[in-house]
């Protein structure tokens, strides 16, 4: 067992480095600087810092990390605020923030929201599902959906502390976030993709902490899963891996009830947009499924479903869940991008062709970082 934990640790460290070095290569190369040296320096720094941390601070009491945690958190929030103020969102060639903002603009002006094009192109339309706009509504009303970056960071730090009951592990969790170029890219472009993944992790941790059971808490669990499924397609992956093992153990009647509630909730959130215009049925000519499912392959999807079922049945504890979830998301995104490469080719390289979006790999980071932080001072599974 210890050998498996040791192996898993290196897998997660590899995934963390892989995702962040992708960003180093893509964006440093645009400055004219050779990205190889910065990538190597980053790799060595992270490996030495992570592996050396536990040895250096192994005897430190957990409470001694309380003040550093709050100071680093305050510094991080300050940096996020500074970036949000400093960078004009209209100057950014990434349109996730405007997909949310312009959707809500249209909604409040009485126009069909999914017909709103983003600030980047008249051919780019909102892709999140309805509940994601509801969740982001407070930040929109506050004047900047980028505020959500602070809210979701704060939420995950708080819930991760509740999960670990350790200032030390939570400190490592936060430090691994702020040492991630992928995270700061999300902040710089006001992306909400990683925030969505962070929210799903928070919900899973709350399920775990509260010992939610499909047997005892079917209704509330199904509603929460329906909310998650109504944010983004990608949000379904980790919650499905988490819910599937207990789902198999409940009766057929409860299985049908659970699926009906989840699907019913999803349909209910889409219903206002389906019925928005019953004369022209605008929903069927412009809807988020057109964006979120446009790059897949039916065969590839079938293979991923089989792999997902296999991985869902392999985890026995929460660390194994973190490990298998991040590996599954990595495989899912990698195969999707490779499928694009083989079917559509590239215009230049994967770093310059807008068809390829390396930010999807960031979706594994919450689970990867949760695993790495939870292993600090813990040679056995938690």
């Amino acid at each position: 067992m210890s050998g498996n934990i040791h192996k898993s640790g290196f897998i997660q460290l590899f995934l963390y480095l892989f995702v962040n070095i992708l960003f180093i290569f893509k964006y440093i190369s645009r400055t004219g600087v050779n990205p190889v040296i910065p990538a190597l320096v980053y790799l060595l720094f992270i490996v030495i810092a992570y592996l050396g941390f536990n040895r250096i601070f192994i005897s430190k009491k957990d409470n001694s990390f309380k003040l550093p945690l709050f100071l680093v958190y305050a510094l991080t929030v300050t940096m996020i605020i500074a970036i949000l103020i400093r960078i004009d969102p209209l100057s950014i060639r990434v349109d996730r923030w405007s997909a949310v903002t312009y959707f809500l603009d249209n909604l409040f002006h009485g126009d069909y929201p999914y017909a709103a094009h983003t600030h980047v192109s008249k051919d780019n339309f909102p892709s999140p599902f309805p509940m994601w706009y509801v969740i982001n509504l407070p930040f929109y009303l506050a004047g900047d959906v980028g505020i959500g970056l602070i809210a979701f960071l704060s939420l995950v730090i708080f819930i991760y502390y509740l999960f670990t009951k350790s200032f030390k592990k939570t400190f490592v969790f936060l430090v691994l976030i702020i040492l991630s170029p992928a995270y700061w890219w999300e902040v710089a472009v006001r992306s909400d993709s990683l925030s969505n993944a962070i929210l799903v992790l928070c919900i899973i941790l709350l399920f775990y902490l509260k010992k939610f059971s499909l047997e005892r808490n079917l209704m509330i669990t199904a509603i929460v899963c329906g909310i998650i499924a109504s944010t983004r397609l990608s949000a379904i992956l980790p919650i499905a891996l988490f819910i599937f093992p207990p789902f198999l153990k409940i009766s057929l009647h409860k299985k049908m009830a659970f699926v009906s509630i989840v699907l019913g909730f999803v349909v209910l959130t889409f219903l206002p947009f389906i019925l928005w215009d019953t004369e022209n049925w605008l929903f069927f000519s412009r809807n988020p499924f057109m964006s979120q499912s446009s790059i897949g392959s039916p065969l590839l999807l079938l293979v991923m479903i089989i792999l997902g079922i296999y991985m869902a049945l392999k985890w026995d504890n929460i660390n194994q869940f973190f490990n298998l979830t991040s590996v599954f998301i990595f495989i899912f995104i990698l195969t999707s991008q490779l499928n694009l490469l083989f079917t559509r080719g590239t215009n230049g390289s994967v770093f310059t062709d807008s068809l390829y979006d390396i930010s999807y790999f960031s979706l594994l980071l919450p689970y990867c970082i949760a695993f790495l932080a939870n292993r600090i001072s813990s040679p056995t599974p938690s």
Side-chain angles (χ1 to χ4, degrees), residues 337-356:
Q337 297 294 303
L338 288 175
N339 178 61
L340 271 178
L341 183 63
F342 291 133
T343 56
R344 303 190 189 181
T346 59
N347 181 18
S349 74
V350 293
F351 292 131
T352 57
D353 192 335
S354 61
L355 184 64
Y356 301 92

Side-chain angles (χ1 to χ4, degrees), residues 48-215:
I48 293 170
Y50 179 74
L51 298 181
F53 180 88
N54 214 29
R55 295 190 178 190
I56 297 171
F57 296 104
I58 194 167
S59 60
K60 281 275 188 180
K61 292 182 178 179
D62 189 73
N63 253 10
S64 65
F65 288 90
K66 185 175 182 179
L67 180 60
L69 172 62
F70 283 110
L71 290 176
V72 173
Y73 167 75
L75 177 62
T76 305
V77 170
T78 302
M79 290 173 64
I80 293 172
I81 293 171
I83 290 170
L84 293 179
I85 293 171
R86 180 70 180 85
I87 297 178
D88 177 6
L90 292 173
S91 68
I92 301 166
R93 299 300 296 169
V94 179
D95 56 8
R96 285 176 183 158
W97 71 268
S98 61
V100 174
T101 300
Y102 292 4
F103 175 100
L104 292 171
D105 282 346
N106 265 27
L107 181 66
F108 287 116
H109 283 95
D111 299 322
Y112 179 61
Y114 281 113
H117 60 78
T118 69
H119 77 288
V120 169
S121 168
K122 291 186 177 181
D123 297 321
N124 291 8
F125 298 91
S127 63
F129 293 167
M131 278 306 298
W132 190 237
Y133 300 104
V134 175
I135 292 168
N136 278 275
L137 184 58
F139 316 126
Y140 169 84
L141 294 176
D144 189 342
V145 293
I147 297 170
L149 291 158
I150 299 171
F152 290 114
L153 176 68
S154 304
L155 180 67
V156 76
I157 293 304
F158 175 67
I159 292 180
Y160 195 75
Y161 172 74
L162 294 180
F163 163 66
T164 60
K165 296 180 176 61
S166 167
F167 288 113
K168 182 179 183 181
K169 291 183 179 183
T170 309
F171 174 78
V172 173
F173 183 87
L174 177 56
V175 167
L176 286 172
I177 288 176
I178 65 174
L179 289 178
S180 168
Y183 177 75
W184 290 109
W185 178 87
E186 292 271 331
V187 174
V189 301
R190 283 173 164 80
S191 173
D192 63 340
S193 181
L194 186 55
S195 293
N196 181 256
I198 285 173
L199 176 63
V200 177
L201 172 64
C202 290
I203 291 171
I204 289 172
L205 291 179
L206 286 175
F207 275 163
Y208 179 82
L209 282 169
K210 299 297 182 181
K211 296 180 169 47
F212 267 65
S213 162
L214 286 182
E215 195 66 51

Side-chain angles (χ1 to χ4, degrees), residues 42-53:
Y42 179 78
L43 185 151
L44 289 172
F45 172 76
I46 294 297
V47 170
I48 293 170
Y50 179 74
L51 298 181
F53 180 88

